[in-house]
């Protein structure tokens, strides 16, 4: 009886494996929904939505104080750290590795063991994204390259490019198209200040 059960199970398993091997995979396009590419106006609308929900203005816009606390200044929206604004005093002992990462009152500058970084100008002015191609933008967002140049340094904290690298191509295009429609603002953001530099 035991031997019959073993043979029966063995035959069942062999037949099951044969059936699995014989099944053909469906054609790769079966069941896929093809979607027409978005029009330019649809890309711009999607870009506006993404800029809002991602919160680009949290770091890339100076703030104004309201009864509800600091909010992005719409007159200086996405212009980055205001050129010429002084930084508050920095105590180097507070920003050693494992200690504090500090932000200025606008959240447009950050200081830590990497030095001081400044939020970039995202407007389509020449001091911002005005000279950028889509490829520059994509490289900055997905590879973390400063100014989107192949041989440039990596973007430094607090820019979370590693997360943005997961954006779909269409979303990257939407962001770029939208940012090219906003008010250009002349604001040349300072360069990164390395640790220990004055």
């Amino acid at each position: 009886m035991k031997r019959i059960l073993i043979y029966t199970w063995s035959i069942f398993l062999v037949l099951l494996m044969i059936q699995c091997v014989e099944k053909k995979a469906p054609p790769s396009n079966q069941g896929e929904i093809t979607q027409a590419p978005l029009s330019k106006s649809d890309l711009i609308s999607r870009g506006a939505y993404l800029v809002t929900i991602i919160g680009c203005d949290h770091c890339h816009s100076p703030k104004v104080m309201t009864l509800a606390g600091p909010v992005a200044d719409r007159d200086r929206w996405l212009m980055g750290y205001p050129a010429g604004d002084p930084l508050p005093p920095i105590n180097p002992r507070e920003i050693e590795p494992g200690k504090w990462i500090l932000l200025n009152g606008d959240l447009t500058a950050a200081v830590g063991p990497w030095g001081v970084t400044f939020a970039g100008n995202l407007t389509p002015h020449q001091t911002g994204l005005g000279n950028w191609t889509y490829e520059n933008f994509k490289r900055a967002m997905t590879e973390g390259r400063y100014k989107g140049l192949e041989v440039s340094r990596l973007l430094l904290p607090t820019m979370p490019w590693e997360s943005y690298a997961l954006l779909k191509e269409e979303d990257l295009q939407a962001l770029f198209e939208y940012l090219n429609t906003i008010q250009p603002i002349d604001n040349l953001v300072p360069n990164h200040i390395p640790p220990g530099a004055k």
Side-chain angles (χ1 to χ4, degrees):
M1 180 73 172
K2 193 174 186 181
R3 192 178 272 175
I4 292 173
L5 277 174
I6 292 172
Y7 286 131
T8 304
W9 275 108
S10 299
I11 291 170
F12 173 75
L13 290 173
V14 167
L15 290 174
L16 183 64
M17 289 188 323
I18 290 170
Q19 187 173 1
C20 290
V21 169
E22 285 182 352
K23 276 193 173 182
K24 293 181 181 176
S28 62
N29 62 354
Q30 186 178 0
E32 288 181 12
I33 299 171
T34 55
Q35 190 174 8
L38 293 177
S39 68
K40 186 161 182 155
S41 65
D42 288 339
L43 278 173
I44 290 168
S45 294
R46 178 142 183 87
Y49 166 75
L50 290 169
V51 163
T52 303
I53 64 163
I54 291 172
C56 299
D57 62 354
H58 295 174
C59 295
H60 288 273
S61 293
K63 311 299 181 289
V64 291
M65 190 56 70
T66 69
L67 294 175
V71 297
D73 182 348
R74 294 302 291 194
D75 292 332
R76 301 185 296 164
W77 200 59
L78 298 178
M79 70 174 237
Y81 178 84
D85 274 12
L87 287 171
I90 300 167
N91 181 345
R93 291 187 305 272
E94 292 177 354
I95 57 169
E96 294 169 352
K99 293 191 175 180
W100 288 99
I101 294 172
L102 305 174
L103 299 166
N104 72 333
D106 269 348
L107 308 179
T108 57
V111 61
W114 63 87
V116 182
T117 49
F118 302 93
N121 182 347
L122 300 183
T123 75
H125 190 273
Q126 300 307 306
T127 58
L129 302 182
N131 293 322
W132 288 41
T133 65
Y134 172 68
E135 289 306 314
N136 293 129
F137 183 76
K138 180 179 178 180
R139 192 175 294 117
M141 295 290 281
T142 62
E143 298 174 29
R145 291 292 169 187
Y146 178 67
K147 297 199 179 223
L149 302 172
E150 286 184 81
V151 294
S152 61
R153 66 167 169 81
L154 285 177
L155 294 173
L156 297 167
T158 56
M159 178 61 179
W161 67 267
E162 296 92 342
S163 297
Y164 299 153
L166 304 176
L167 285 167
K168 295 177 183 173
E169 183 83 21
E170 192 171 74
D171 290 338
L172 288 167
Q173 290 172 338
L175 286 165
F176 185 70
E177 290 293 337
Y178 173 67
L179 290 172
N180 276 294
T181 68
I182 65 174
Q183 176 67 38
I185 300 175
D186 184 355
N187 182 50
L188 186 58
V189 172
N191 288 324
H192 163 246
I193 301 171
K198 299 291 181 188

